[in-house]
Amino acid sequence: MASEGPLTTYQSSFTLPALPSVPGTDPSSCVLDGFRIAIAQLLSESLGLTVEQAYAGVDYGKKGEDFTVALPRFRLPGKVDELAKKVIDKFTPNEYIESVVADKAFLHFRLNTTNMIRAVLTQVYELTHVVPATQQASSSSSSASPSKDSDSSSKPEGLYGKNTVGAGKRVIVEFSSPNIAKNFHVGHLRSTIIGAFLVNLYKACGWEVISMNYLGDWGTQFGLIASGYEQYGNQKDLEADAIKHLFDIYVQVNKDAEADPSVKEKAAAWFKRMEDGDEEALANWRIWRELSIRKYTEEYDRLNVAFDVYTGESEVGKASMDAALEKLEEMDLIEDSNGAKLINLTKHKLEKAVVRKKDGTSIYLTRDIGGAIERYEKYKFDKLIYVVSSQQDLHLAQFFKILELMGYEWAQPKNQALVHVNYGLVQGMSTRRGTVVFLNQIINEAASVMHEQMKSNEEKYNAVEDPEMTSREIGITGVKIQDMAAKRINNYTFNWDRMLSFEGDTGPYLQYAHVRLASLDRKNPHLLPLPAPSELQLDLLAAPHTSQQARDIAFLLGSYPDVVKTALKTHEPSGVVTFAFRLSHAISSAWDAVSVKSLGEEERDKAQARLFLYQSARDVLGSALRLLTIRPLERM
């Protein structure tokens, strides 16, 4: 699906003085762009820079500053203190900027508090509650949509935080890619979590996205299973749980192979029959594949993940692979080695890569090459992303280099169309009983622990409409946030206690923050419905009427569109997770100082302004969680 709405046509009901246009900015979707342009305009007028040059130097500040400019980056003649004095002498407080302070080589800018708060909250409200026609149609046609009072948030996502930078472009995101006839092991969990995030991220940035699950459904292991099924297969067990039964066969036949080398020879011969299109050899395999996909679909649904396309190694055409190998032969890129075919990539520091085995059967790399060529022919993608662990860095580098050497324009590095999004390993992951972990075990155990914790507060527990669903969502949130909290390239150690804690930076803490925000409407019905943003006295959120906490929340909300854009550049979910925690911490800090319930009827205007602030925070936190493929909860 492409961009859900033309953000460039959005007109805020709250406007500030006109500013020059800067390429790559859009105040109609990120209101803080306008404030940064105002700072750039001041720098331009003071220092003789173009507005575009100045804008590039306006960065988010640290230590409580709004925006900071490092003057040396402009490489202007003169001392930095003299340059700073020029800017400060030129400055007069205006609708955008409240103050400028020089600090050695830096200038710190504080935005006009009243206007910043009103502009941000108005934009959050108006873009969040603009429901595109496509979203309205899908909501009204879905019988599975949660009810108004459901524990899982059903509010429309709207357009806040979204942009159109990818409008007109198509991306394929290939991720998860488990092996059929095997349980969904935790080794596939990271690919699934990161890949699903990238799908949401690219959609939020206007790209047309095709989510693809490239199943491991071909290869010698299926010869093993096929030969083992003759001896150990049971139709009743297969129908009851196909993946478990086939996995048990795979384990058993591997044990047999260790004791008897002829077992592997028989398996290889069986796979050769499959590759040659022998219908008798393929019949059972087709049934196993269908049953496996059905099981996987159920598992993915629990993770709030879905795929547009299920494909697999088996669907890569033999003609495509043969044509690719023929082309490589013609280009004199292939060497023979005892009957096997290799591509020598040593001059590219990528070692030698096998593309065909001695018995003439294909291997993973051959199928990857044929698959990529077929995908471009079918989809004409602008970008193809492979979400694969860092253990496969060499494989992906060889794969990309071979396509480049074959001369495909779309595979040339300058086009940046082929992207490997890699990630580190999960270490120390097992159930609390120390056994091997499969995905369903993780979900079930996390849900069970959360369910027990929820029962400890009987009053809250009784108010939850569906405790089992809620406990499962909290558990899954814990799994996902622990996975995405650090840079994806890092290995991390799976920790049950930390993952399921409501204290500190964990998934349950984020859900709790959203639930607290959602509870405010229920606890303050006398303040509802709120007036339109233009009629609310939002100046009461600015000092001296209230504390710094309200300002901090509003500024964070204004930064969210930039968080999304940065994530698109880095392919890092950790930046969005960090934002969600910063926002949740800011809300927690404001809870007493910017209280709603402590205000009486005589301060109704202030109470409504504060409630509006928290509603905006709820909407943005919910949007960040959905971007991370997490279903925000209303109660827990």
Side-chain angles (χ1 to χ4, degrees):
M1 183 175 67
S3 175
E4 292 183 314
L7 298 185
T8 51
T9 64
Y10 160 76
Q11 293 294 322
S12 174
S13 61
F14 174 69
T15 56
L16 289 165
L19 292 166
S21 175
V22 174
T25 69
D26 182 10
S28 72
S29 64
C30 178
V31 73
L32 291 187
D33 279 0
F35 287 86
R36 290 175 71 181
I37 292 171
I39 294 170
Q41 188 175 36
L42 172 62
L43 294 170
S44 172
E45 294 169 352
S46 308
L47 303 176
L49 300 162
T50 67
V51 175
E52 290 84 355
Q53 288 172 326
Y55 185 89
V58 182
D59 298 316
Y60 280 97
K62 297 178 180 178
K63 300 178 182 178
E65 306 293 345
D66 291 344
F67 289 102
T68 294
V69 172
L71 290 168
R73 73 177 294 164
F74 297 125
R75 302 181 185 279
L76 294 169
K79 297 179 180 179
V80 291
D81 56 343
E82 294 172 350
L83 297 174
K85 187 174 186 302
K86 285 184 179 181
V87 177
I88 291 173
D89 288 347
K90 184 76 174 177
F91 170 70
T92 301
N94 56 40
E95 290 92 337
Y96 288 98
I97 311 168
E98 200 168 274
S99 65
V100 184
V101 176
D103 176 18
K104 299 178 182 176
F106 301 93
L107 287 173
H108 300 304
F109 293 83
R110 183 177 175 87
L111 307 184
N112 181 303
T113 297
T114 301
N115 286 346
M116 181 273 291
I117 291 176
R118 182 173 288 280
V120 168
L121 297 189
T122 299
Q123 186 172 83
V124 169
Y125 174 82
E126 293 180 350
L127 285 181
T128 298
H129 296 274
V130 169
V131 185
T134 53
Q135 192 170 324
Q136 285 180 330
S138 63
S139 296
S140 61
S141 64
S142 174
S143 59
S145 297
S147 66
K148 182 179 178 182
D149 298 320
S150 171
D151 302 319
S152 182
S153 175
S154 60
K155 292 181 173 59
E157 293 184 56
L159 298 173
Y160 187 68
K162 299 184 179 181
N163 59 69
T164 57
V165 297
K169 295 180 181 179
R170 175 180 291 165
V171 61
I172 298 173
V173 184
E174 179 202 294
F175 63 105
S176 196
S177 303
N179 297 313
I180 72 165
K182 292 185 183 179
N183 256 318
F184 190 124
H185 192 272
V186 295
H188 302 106
L189 183 63
R190 296 212 74 191
S191 175
T192 304
I193 291 172
I194 295 167
F197 163 74
L198 292 176
V199 168
N200 287 352
L201 178 66
Y202 272 83
K203 285 181 179 178
C205 295
W207 286 70
E208 178 191 355
V209 182
I210 298 168
S211 56
M212 182 175 288
N213 198 336
Y214 182 66
L215 299 169
D217 63 354
W218 206 240
T220 308
Q221 71 267 31
F222 292 99
L224 271 172
I225 294 169
S227 60
Y229 190 79
E230 290 184 312
Q231 185 175 355
Y232 303 111
N234 180 287
Q235 186 66 25
K236 185 177 178 181
D237 291 342
L238 181 72
E239 292 174 0
D241 190 336
I243 292 178
K244 182 180 184 305
H245 184 51
L246 295 172
F247 177 68
D248 290 343
I249 291 172
Y250 183 69
V251 171
Q252 184 59 53
V253 78
N254 267 291
K255 288 180 181 177
D256 295 346
E258 290 176 8
D260 181 1
S262 69
V263 173
K264 284 194 174 180
E265 293 173 11
K266 184 179 178 183
W270 194 288
F271 178 58
K272 182 71 165 62
R273 288 172 60 197
M274 292 170 67
E275 280 228 307
D276 290 342
D278 184 328
E279 283 302 318
E280 183 185 352
L282 290 168
N284 277 341
W285 170 83
R286 288 197 180 97
I287 295 171
W288 304 339
R289 187 181 191 278
E290 181 183 346
L291 291 172
S292 293
I293 290 175
R294 193 180 305 167
K295 181 68 173 178
Y296 286 137
T297 302
E298 295 172 5
E299 298 281 342
Y300 289 126
D301 184 60
R302 295 208 292 172
L303 285 173
N304 198 20
V305 174
F307 291 91
D308 298 313
V309 178
Y310 277 92
T311 184
E313 296 176 72
S314 65
E315 295 188 10
V316 178
K318 190 172 186 299
S320 297
M321 290 186 283
D322 289 345
L325 290 175
E326 187 177 332
K327 185 171 184 177
L328 289 164
E329 293 265 21
E330 291 171 358
M331 297 174 71
D332 202 27
L333 293 173
I334 284 187
E335 298 177 357
D336 282 320
S337 177
N338 298 321
K341 293 186 181 295
L342 312 176
I343 297 181
N344 191 341
L345 299 172
T346 52
K347 72 176 181 180
H348 303 288
K349 299 181 180 179
L350 293 174
E351 302 179 12
K352 293 183 179 182
V354 180
V355 289
R356 180 147 284 179
K357 292 182 180 179
K358 294 177 184 179
D359 64 2
T361 56
S362 64
I363 66 165
Y364 203 89
L365 179 59
T366 328
R367 296 189 285 273
D368 272 350
I369 294 167
I373 295 167
E374 288 181 355
R375 286 178 197 177
Y376 188 78
E377 289 173 352
K378 181 174 181 178
Y379 297 107
K380 296 295 188 290
F381 55 77
D382 296 282
K383 188 177 288 189
L384 173 55
I385 297 173
Y386 294 87
V387 186
V388 183
S389 80
S390 57
Q391 289 180 305
Q392 299 297 319
D393 283 356
L394 175 61
H395 171 80
L396 269 295
Q398 290 176 332
F399 167 39
F400 290 175
K401 177 57 71 173
I402 291 168
L403 288 170
E404 177 192 339
L405 294 174
M406 292 175 76
Y408 292 107
E409 178 62 23
W410 49 268
Q412 302 308 305
K414 65 180 181 181
N415 294 319
Q416 299 181 324
L418 297 177
V419 179
H420 176 202
V421 174
N422 59 3
Y423 54 87
L425 302 178
V426 186
Q427 299 171 329
M429 183 178 264
S430 64
T431 64
R432 294 188 167 190
R433 292 173 295 281
T435 57
V436 63
V437 177
F438 296 115
L439 180 66
N440 62 335
Q441 291 174 288
I442 297 169
I443 294 174
N444 292 341
E445 185 156 356
S448 176
V449 173
M450 285 293 106
H451 203 176
E452 290 303 311
Q453 287 203 30
M454 287 169 61
K455 286 180 181 177
S456 64
N457 188 321
E458 187 175 352
E459 183 181 350
K460 287 185 178 179
Y461 182 82
N462 291 334
V464 175
E465 186 176 293
D466 187 343
E468 290 189 2
M469 179 280 290
T470 300
S471 60
R472 184 179 69 244
E473 291 300 331
I474 300 170
I476 289 172
T477 302
V479 173
K480 289 183 175 182
I481 292 299
Q482 183 168 214
D483 194 286
M484 292 188 280
K487 298 287 186 184
R488 56 180 160 75
I489 197 61
N490 296 340
N491 298 336
Y492 78 91
T493 301
F494 188 84
N495 185 315
W496 276 103
D497 293 333
R498 179 174 172 273
M499 184 191 81
L500 299 173
S501 173
F502 284 86
E503 303 296 327
D505 290 349
T506 65
Y509 175 79
L510 291 179
Q511 286 285 18
Y512 181 62
H514 187 270
V515 166
R516 288 184 83 185
L517 291 168
S519 72
L520 285 175
D521 281 5
R522 297 193 298 268
K523 292 177 179 178
N524 297 279
H526 61 288
L527 298 177
L528 302 174
L530 293 182
S534 59
E535 297 171 13
L536 284 165
Q537 294 190 33
L538 297 180
D539 57 314
L540 296 176
L541 294 171
H545 302 289
T546 193
S547 60
Q548 176 71 21
Q549 284 94 329
R551 190 185 195 281
D552 291 343
I553 292 172
F555 189 82
L556 270 173
L557 300 182
S559 72
Y560 179 61
D562 277 330
V563 170
V564 175
K565 288 179 184 176
T566 299
L568 187 71
K569 293 176 183 176
T570 63
H571 292 145
E572 285 285 358
S574 59
V576 181
V577 174
T578 298
F579 168 82
F581 281 127
R582 288 184 66 199
L583 180 56
S584 297
H585 293 321
I587 292 161
S588 180
S589 298
W591 212 248
D592 292 326
V594 192
S595 171
V596 175
K597 68 178 182 180
S598 64
L599 301 177
E601 184 60 33
E602 69 281 2
E603 294 185 284
R604 181 180 179 82
D605 291 338
K606 183 184 286 188
Q608 287 189 319
R610 291 180 175 184
L611 181 57
F612 184 62
L613 172 71
Y614 287 124
Q615 285 181 344
S616 300
R618 175 203 64 204
D619 290 340
V620 175
L621 179 58
S623 180
L625 291 176
R626 290 186 188 94
L627 192 65
L628 295 165
T629 75
I630 291 166
R631 298 179 178 103
L633 296 171
E634 298 285 318
R635 297 177 187 265
M636 59 187 276

